PDB file of all heavy atoms in Angstrom:
ATOM      1  N   PHE A   1      -5.160   7.435  -4.128  1.00 87.00           N
ATOM      2  CA  PHE A   1      -5.078   7.594  -2.682  1.00 87.00           C
ATOM      3  C   PHE A   1      -4.359   8.907  -2.397  1.00 87.00           C
ATOM      4  O   PHE A   1      -3.410   9.267  -3.086  1.00 87.00           O
ATOM      5  CB  PHE A   1      -4.297   6.433  -2.049  1.00 87.00           C
ATOM      6  CG  PHE A   1      -4.956   5.097  -2.247  1.00 87.00           C
ATOM      7  CD1 PHE A   1      -4.654   4.305  -3.341  1.00 87.00           C
ATOM      8  CD2 PHE A   1      -5.884   4.627  -1.325  1.00 87.00           C
ATOM      9  CE1 PHE A   1      -5.259   3.074  -3.527  1.00 87.00           C
ATOM     10  CE2 PHE A   1      -6.497   3.398  -1.513  1.00 87.00           C
ATOM     11  CZ  PHE A   1      -6.186   2.620  -2.608  1.00 87.00           C
ATOM     12  N   PHE A   2      -4.796   9.596  -1.358  1.00 88.00           N
ATOM     13  CA  PHE A   2      -4.237  10.899  -1.011  1.00 88.00           C
ATOM     14  C   PHE A   2      -4.118  11.003   0.496  1.00 88.00           C
ATOM     15  O   PHE A   2      -5.035  10.631   1.220  1.00 88.00           O
ATOM     16  CB  PHE A   2      -5.156  12.007  -1.543  1.00 88.00           C
ATOM     17  CG  PHE A   2      -4.766  13.406  -1.139  1.00 88.00           C
ATOM     18  CD1 PHE A   2      -3.557  13.953  -1.524  1.00 88.00           C
ATOM     19  CD2 PHE A   2      -5.631  14.178  -0.389  1.00 88.00           C
ATOM     20  CE1 PHE A   2      -3.217  15.242  -1.161  1.00 88.00           C
ATOM     21  CE2 PHE A   2      -5.310  15.473  -0.025  1.00 88.00           C
ATOM     22  CZ  PHE A   2      -4.077  16.007  -0.416  1.00 88.00           C
ATOM     23  N   CYS A   3      -2.989  11.505   0.959  1.00 86.00           N
ATOM     24  CA  CYS A   3      -2.780  11.682   2.391  1.00 86.00           C
ATOM     25  C   CYS A   3      -2.816  13.168   2.719  1.00 86.00           C
ATOM     26  O   CYS A   3      -1.880  13.893   2.399  1.00 86.00           O
ATOM     27  CB  CYS A   3      -1.442  11.080   2.807  1.00 86.00           C
ATOM     28  SG  CYS A   3      -1.126  11.280   4.570  1.00 86.00           S
ATOM     29  N   LEU A   4      -3.895  13.609   3.323  1.00 83.00           N
ATOM     30  CA  LEU A   4      -4.028  14.998   3.740  1.00 83.00           C
ATOM     31  C   LEU A   4      -3.391  15.201   5.119  1.00 83.00           C
ATOM     32  O   LEU A   4      -2.711  16.178   5.358  1.00 83.00           O
ATOM     33  CB  LEU A   4      -5.504  15.402   3.781  1.00 83.00           C
ATOM     34  CG  LEU A   4      -5.826  16.839   4.124  1.00 83.00           C
ATOM     35  CD1 LEU A   4      -5.162  17.795   3.135  1.00 83.00           C
ATOM     36  CD2 LEU A   4      -7.340  17.057   4.111  1.00 83.00           C
ATOM     37  N   GLN A   5      -3.598  14.237   6.023  1.00 82.00           N
ATOM     38  CA  GLN A   5      -3.045  14.309   7.372  1.00 82.00           C
ATOM     39  C   GLN A   5      -2.295  13.010   7.652  1.00 82.00           C
ATOM     40  O   GLN A   5      -2.909  11.973   7.889  1.00 82.00           O
ATOM     41  CB  GLN A   5      -4.180  14.493   8.395  1.00 82.00           C
ATOM     42  CG  GLN A   5      -3.716  14.483   9.833  1.00 82.00           C
ATOM     43  CD  GLN A   5      -2.765  15.618  10.141  1.00 82.00           C
ATOM     44  OE1 GLN A   5      -3.046  16.769   9.829  1.00 82.00           O
ATOM     45  NE2 GLN A   5      -1.638  15.315  10.740  1.00 82.00           N
ATOM     46  N   PRO A   6      -0.951  13.037   7.604  1.00 82.00           N
ATOM     47  CA  PRO A   6      -0.182  11.807   7.869  1.00 82.00           C
ATOM     48  C   PRO A   6      -0.457  11.269   9.269  1.00 82.00           C
ATOM     49  O   PRO A   6      -0.702  12.033  10.208  1.00 82.00           O
ATOM     50  CB  PRO A   6       1.276  12.261   7.743  1.00 82.00           C
ATOM     51  CG  PRO A   6       1.225  13.520   6.944  1.00 82.00           C
ATOM     52  CD  PRO A   6      -0.096  14.167   7.281  1.00 82.00           C
ATOM     53  N   ALA A   7      -0.415   9.957   9.391  1.00 80.00           N
ATOM     54  CA  ALA A   7      -0.599   9.309  10.689  1.00 80.00           C
ATOM     55  C   ALA A   7       0.567   9.667  11.606  1.00 80.00           C
ATOM     56  O   ALA A   7       1.688   9.866  11.138  1.00 80.00           O
ATOM     57  CB  ALA A   7      -0.678   7.794  10.512  1.00 80.00           C
ATOM     58  N   SER A   8       0.310   9.721  12.914  1.00 82.00           N
ATOM     59  CA  SER A   8       1.384  10.024  13.858  1.00 82.00           C
ATOM     60  C   SER A   8       2.383   8.874  13.926  1.00 82.00           C
ATOM     61  O   SER A   8       3.558   9.065  14.215  1.00 82.00           O
ATOM     62  CB  SER A   8       0.815  10.323  15.243  1.00 82.00           C
ATOM     63  OG  SER A   8       0.046   9.233  15.703  1.00 82.00           O
ATOM     64  N   ARG A   9       1.924   7.660  13.636  1.00 79.00           N
ATOM     65  CA  ARG A   9       2.819   6.510  13.497  1.00 79.00           C
ATOM     66  C   ARG A   9       2.128   5.488  12.610  1.00 79.00           C
ATOM     67  O   ARG A   9       0.896   5.424  12.559  1.00 79.00           O
ATOM     68  CB  ARG A   9       3.205   5.932  14.835  1.00 79.00           C
ATOM     69  CG  ARG A   9       2.133   5.200  15.575  1.00 79.00           C
ATOM     70  CD  ARG A   9       2.689   4.619  16.896  1.00 79.00           C
ATOM     71  NE  ARG A   9       2.068   3.363  17.226  1.00 79.00           N
ATOM     72  CZ  ARG A   9       0.907   3.258  17.846  1.00 79.00           C
ATOM     73  NH1 ARG A   9       0.237   4.321  18.196  1.00 79.00           N
ATOM     74  NH2 ARG A   9       0.402   2.073  18.113  1.00 79.00           N
ATOM     75  N   GLY A  10       2.917   4.708  11.892  1.00 76.00           N
ATOM     76  CA  GLY A  10       2.337   3.741  10.961  1.00 76.00           C
ATOM     77  C   GLY A  10       1.678   4.466   9.798  1.00 76.00           C
ATOM     78  O   GLY A  10       2.213   5.428   9.280  1.00 76.00           O
ATOM     79  N   GLY A  11       0.502   3.996   9.408  1.00 76.00           N
ATOM     80  CA  GLY A  11      -0.262   4.686   8.382  1.00 76.00           C
ATOM     81  C   GLY A  11       0.144   4.379   6.955  1.00 76.00           C
ATOM     82  O   GLY A  11      -0.272   5.064   6.051  1.00 76.00           O
ATOM     83  N   ALA A  12       0.956   3.376   6.726  1.00 78.00           N
ATOM     84  CA  ALA A  12       1.414   3.056   5.373  1.00 78.00           C
ATOM     85  C   ALA A  12       0.277   2.483   4.536  1.00 78.00           C
ATOM     86  O   ALA A  12      -0.658   1.874   5.056  1.00 78.00           O
ATOM     87  CB  ALA A  12       2.561   2.054   5.432  1.00 78.00           C
ATOM     88  N   THR A  13       0.356   2.701   3.244  1.00 80.00           N
ATOM     89  CA  THR A  13      -0.546   2.067   2.288  1.00 80.00           C
ATOM     90  C   THR A  13       0.318   1.165   1.405  1.00 80.00           C
ATOM     91  O   THR A  13       0.799   1.579   0.366  1.00 80.00           O
ATOM     92  CB  THR A  13      -1.278   3.115   1.430  1.00 80.00           C
ATOM     93  OG1 THR A  13      -2.011   3.990   2.294  1.00 80.00           O
ATOM     94  CG2 THR A  13      -2.243   2.458   0.452  1.00 80.00           C
ATOM     95  N   PRO A  14       0.574  -0.068   1.874  1.00 82.00           N
ATOM     96  CA  PRO A  14       1.444  -0.958   1.098  1.00 82.00           C
ATOM     97  C   PRO A  14       0.743  -1.464  -0.158  1.00 82.00           C
ATOM     98  O   PRO A  14      -0.479  -1.612  -0.182  1.00 82.00           O
ATOM     99  CB  PRO A  14       1.736  -2.102   2.068  1.00 82.00           C
ATOM    100  CG  PRO A  14       0.592  -2.100   3.016  1.00 82.00           C
ATOM    101  CD  PRO A  14       0.096  -0.680   3.100  1.00 82.00           C
ATOM    102  N   LEU A  15       1.527  -1.674  -1.201  1.00 84.00           N
ATOM    103  CA  LEU A  15       1.007  -2.208  -2.460  1.00 84.00           C
ATOM    104  C   LEU A  15       1.706  -3.520  -2.773  1.00 84.00           C
ATOM    105  O   LEU A  15       2.892  -3.683  -2.474  1.00 84.00           O
ATOM    106  CB  LEU A  15       1.270  -1.228  -3.610  1.00 84.00           C
ATOM    107  CG  LEU A  15       0.626   0.144  -3.512  1.00 84.00           C
ATOM    108  CD1 LEU A  15       1.043   1.001  -4.696  1.00 84.00           C
ATOM    109  CD2 LEU A  15      -0.884   0.035  -3.442  1.00 84.00           C
ATOM    110  N   VAL A  16       0.974  -4.421  -3.367  1.00 84.00           N
ATOM    111  CA  VAL A  16       1.563  -5.684  -3.790  1.00 84.00           C
ATOM    112  C   VAL A  16       1.093  -5.962  -5.216  1.00 84.00           C
ATOM    113  O   VAL A  16      -0.045  -5.658  -5.580  1.00 84.00           O
ATOM    114  CB  VAL A  16       1.176  -6.849  -2.845  1.00 84.00           C
ATOM    115  CG1 VAL A  16      -0.313  -7.142  -2.890  1.00 84.00           C
ATOM    116  CG2 VAL A  16       1.976  -8.100  -3.147  1.00 84.00           C
ATOM    117  N   ASP A  17       1.973  -6.490  -6.025  1.00 84.00           N
ATOM    118  CA  ASP A  17       1.647  -6.900  -7.388  1.00 84.00           C
ATOM    119  C   ASP A  17       1.130  -8.333  -7.303  1.00 84.00           C
ATOM    120  O   ASP A  17       1.905  -9.281  -7.189  1.00 84.00           O
ATOM    121  CB  ASP A  17       2.901  -6.809  -8.260  1.00 84.00           C
ATOM    122  CG  ASP A  17       2.653  -7.182  -9.704  1.00 84.00           C
ATOM    123  OD1 ASP A  17       1.641  -7.846 -10.004  1.00 84.00           O
ATOM    124  OD2 ASP A  17       3.495  -6.815 -10.545  1.00 84.00           O
ATOM    125  N   CYS A  18      -0.184  -8.489  -7.302  1.00 83.00           N
ATOM    126  CA  CYS A  18      -0.791  -9.812  -7.111  1.00 83.00           C
ATOM    127  C   CYS A  18      -0.415 -10.797  -8.214  1.00 83.00           C
ATOM    128  O   CYS A  18      -0.236 -11.985  -7.950  1.00 83.00           O
ATOM    129  CB  CYS A  18      -2.309  -9.690  -6.992  1.00 83.00           C
ATOM    130  SG  CYS A  18      -2.810  -8.900  -5.451  1.00 83.00           S
ATOM    131  N   ALA A  19      -0.282 -10.310  -9.442  1.00 84.00           N
ATOM    132  CA  ALA A  19       0.123 -11.195 -10.533  1.00 84.00           C
ATOM    133  C   ALA A  19       1.547 -11.695 -10.319  1.00 84.00           C
ATOM    134  O   ALA A  19       1.841 -12.879 -10.525  1.00 84.00           O
ATOM    135  CB  ALA A  19       0.001 -10.475 -11.875  1.00 84.00           C
ATOM    136  N   ALA A  20       2.441 -10.811  -9.877  1.00 86.00           N
ATOM    137  CA  ALA A  20       3.824 -11.220  -9.605  1.00 86.00           C
ATOM    138  C   ALA A  20       3.869 -12.179  -8.411  1.00 86.00           C
ATOM    139  O   ALA A  20       4.635 -13.151  -8.416  1.00 86.00           O
ATOM    140  CB  ALA A  20       4.706 -10.007  -9.350  1.00 86.00           C
ATOM    141  N   LEU A  21       3.060 -11.911  -7.398  1.00 88.00           N
ATOM    142  CA  LEU A  21       2.994 -12.797  -6.237  1.00 88.00           C
ATOM    143  C   LEU A  21       2.532 -14.189  -6.669  1.00 88.00           C
ATOM    144  O   LEU A  21       3.110 -15.202  -6.274  1.00 88.00           O
ATOM    145  CB  LEU A  21       2.051 -12.212  -5.186  1.00 88.00           C
ATOM    146  CG  LEU A  21       1.852 -13.045  -3.932  1.00 88.00           C
ATOM    147  CD1 LEU A  21       3.149 -13.160  -3.151  1.00 88.00           C
ATOM    148  CD2 LEU A  21       0.767 -12.424  -3.065  1.00 88.00           C
ATOM    149  N   TYR A  22       1.513 -14.229  -7.506  1.00 89.00           N
ATOM    150  CA  TYR A  22       1.011 -15.508  -8.005  1.00 89.00           C
ATOM    151  C   TYR A  22       2.098 -16.243  -8.803  1.00 89.00           C
ATOM    152  O   TYR A  22       2.316 -17.436  -8.617  1.00 89.00           O
ATOM    153  CB  TYR A  22      -0.234 -15.273  -8.870  1.00 89.00           C
ATOM    154  CG  TYR A  22      -0.795 -16.534  -9.452  1.00 89.00           C
ATOM    155  CD1 TYR A  22      -1.553 -17.398  -8.671  1.00 89.00           C
ATOM    156  CD2 TYR A  22      -0.581 -16.876 -10.780  1.00 89.00           C
ATOM    157  CE1 TYR A  22      -2.079 -18.564  -9.193  1.00 89.00           C
ATOM    158  CE2 TYR A  22      -1.094 -18.042 -11.316  1.00 89.00           C
ATOM    159  CZ  TYR A  22      -1.837 -18.886 -10.521  1.00 89.00           C
ATOM    160  OH  TYR A  22      -2.337 -20.044 -11.034  1.00 89.00           O
ATOM    161  N   ARG A  23       2.798 -15.507  -9.682  1.00 92.00           N
ATOM    162  CA  ARG A  23       3.874 -16.125 -10.478  1.00 92.00           C
ATOM    163  C   ARG A  23       5.014 -16.628  -9.601  1.00 92.00           C
ATOM    164  O   ARG A  23       5.705 -17.581  -9.958  1.00 92.00           O
ATOM    165  CB  ARG A  23       4.416 -15.142 -11.513  1.00 92.00           C
ATOM    166  CG  ARG A  23       3.467 -14.868 -12.666  1.00 92.00           C
ATOM    167  CD  ARG A  23       4.132 -14.056 -13.778  1.00 92.00           C
ATOM    168  NE  ARG A  23       4.660 -12.776 -13.322  1.00 92.00           N
ATOM    169  CZ  ARG A  23       3.982 -11.631 -13.295  1.00 92.00           C
ATOM    170  NH1 ARG A  23       2.720 -11.608 -13.701  1.00 92.00           N
ATOM    171  NH2 ARG A  23       4.547 -10.517 -12.870  1.00 92.00           N
ATOM    172  N   ALA A  24       5.225 -15.999  -8.447  1.00 95.00           N
ATOM    173  CA  ALA A  24       6.306 -16.397  -7.552  1.00 95.00           C
ATOM    174  C   ALA A  24       5.993 -17.668  -6.763  1.00 95.00           C
ATOM    175  O   ALA A  24       6.903 -18.294  -6.214  1.00 95.00           O
ATOM    176  CB  ALA A  24       6.634 -15.254  -6.592  1.00 95.00           C
TER     177      ALA A  24
END
């Protein structure tokens, strides 16, 4: 993923470890 033009607000690309979420 690459951000050429940041969002004026928000715009995050959150990540989650699905295996860790499942284990939790």
